[in-house]
Amino acid sequence: MTEALAACRPTVEARRQQILDAACDCVRRSGFHGASMARIAETAGLSVGQIYRYFENKEAIVAAIADQDLAEMHEKFAELEASGDNLAEAVIVHCSDGIDRNYDPDRAALLLEVLAEAARNPRVATIVQEADAKERMMGRRIMESAGLSGLGERELAARGEVLSMLFDGMVTRAIYNPGGDKAAISEVLRTVMRGLLSPGALTGASPLAKEPN
């Protein structure tokens, strides 16, 4: 009987996920400040004390949400790297996955609330900036696989920033225009990304290309 009860108890990972799901739901519905620990606990069906066993504060929950988001990206990234295809081309071909992920009103509601809080709260700003730095490292690997390593550092960084803008901008477009034609957007995005990830496509037009490496 004791063993059966123990088997029914959620694991630490499952309990943390339960809390994270509740926190995401609360932030989407009530905003960062409206998502109090008491409301998160109520949504999760737990006590506030139980929440604090797993997370020190709301910032810790935000950090866990960011880590979860990154883990999903890393998993997809690893899948593309393991495919045996050129990484940059694989990312371009599968850019529709990124559109589905970012062009989503529910995800946008959560992310925009966190970003708004990051603009006011240095601790949350640090969390999102650290997550972004890790995403930029993935972007750099994509550009290296596209043969862009020979470009100057400023141009590489600028192209990486524009690449991030393409996908980060979808978050706001999901709110402004949730009915956008994702299939058509995917086709146009592939063309834009091929230009951005082509060593010679933009070099002649970019004043950064004239700078020494």
Side-chain angles (χ1 to χ4, degrees):
M1 184 68 174
T2 303
E3 291 180 0
L5 287 172
C8 291
R9 292 191 187 116
T11 63
V12 171
E13 183 179 346
R15 184 67 85 196
R16 282 173 58 87
Q17 190 61 54
Q18 179 183 353
I19 295 168
L20 290 178
D21 290 344
C24 290
D25 185 52
C26 288
V27 171
R28 279 192 292 262
R29 287 188 287 109
S30 306
F32 189 87
H33 288 285
S36 65
M37 294 297 266
R39 182 164 292 182
I40 293 171
E42 181 182 3
T43 302
L46 302 170
S47 69
V48 173
Q50 286 176 298
I51 299 289
Y52 281 115
R53 289 180 193 172
Y54 297 92
F55 296 99
E56 181 181 0
N57 49 40
K58 255 197 305 190
E59 283 82 3
I61 293 177
V62 171
I65 292 171
D67 286 343
Q68 182 173 267
D69 204 43
L70 271 172
E72 291 174 1
M73 289 185 63
H74 274 291
E75 183 178 350
K76 184 63 180 180
F77 199 77
E79 180 185 319
L80 294 177
E81 282 192 309
S83 69
D85 298 327
N86 175 270
L87 178 58
E89 183 60 25
V91 169
I92 291 169
V93 169
H94 293 277
C95 72
S96 57
D97 294 340
I99 292 174
D100 288 338
R101 179 173 180 271
N102 291 285
Y103 211 104
D104 175 69
D106 285 341
R107 185 172 186 272
L110 173 64
L111 184 56
L112 292 175
E113 284 291 345
V114 172
L115 290 176
E117 181 62 19
R120 298 183 291 263
N121 185 330
R123 290 176 295 179
V124 176
T126 297
I127 292 167
V128 299
Q129 287 164 9
E130 288 177 351
D132 183 70
K134 293 174 183 176
E135 288 186 28
R136 291 201 306 274
M137 288 175 64
M138 285 189 277
R140 177 58 65 98
R141 283 159 63 188
I142 293 169
M143 289 189 290
E144 288 172 353
S145 74
L148 301 185
S149 299
L151 298 179
E153 182 58 34
R154 287 188 68 204
E155 179 156 352
L156 268 176
R159 289 199 191 198
E161 196 67 16
V162 172
L163 185 62
S164 294
M165 289 176 182
L166 289 173
F167 288 93
D168 290 348
M170 293 176 198
V171 175
T172 56
R173 297 309 303 167
I175 301 299
Y176 282 124
N177 183 29
D181 184 340
K182 292 182 182 179
I185 293 168
S186 294
E187 291 302 318
V188 174
L189 181 60
R190 288 189 185 100
T191 300
V192 173
M193 289 180 68
R194 284 201 169 91
L196 189 61
L197 295 174
S198 173
L202 303 177
T203 301
S206 172
L208 298 180
K210 300 175 183 177
E211 296 185 357
N213 289 345

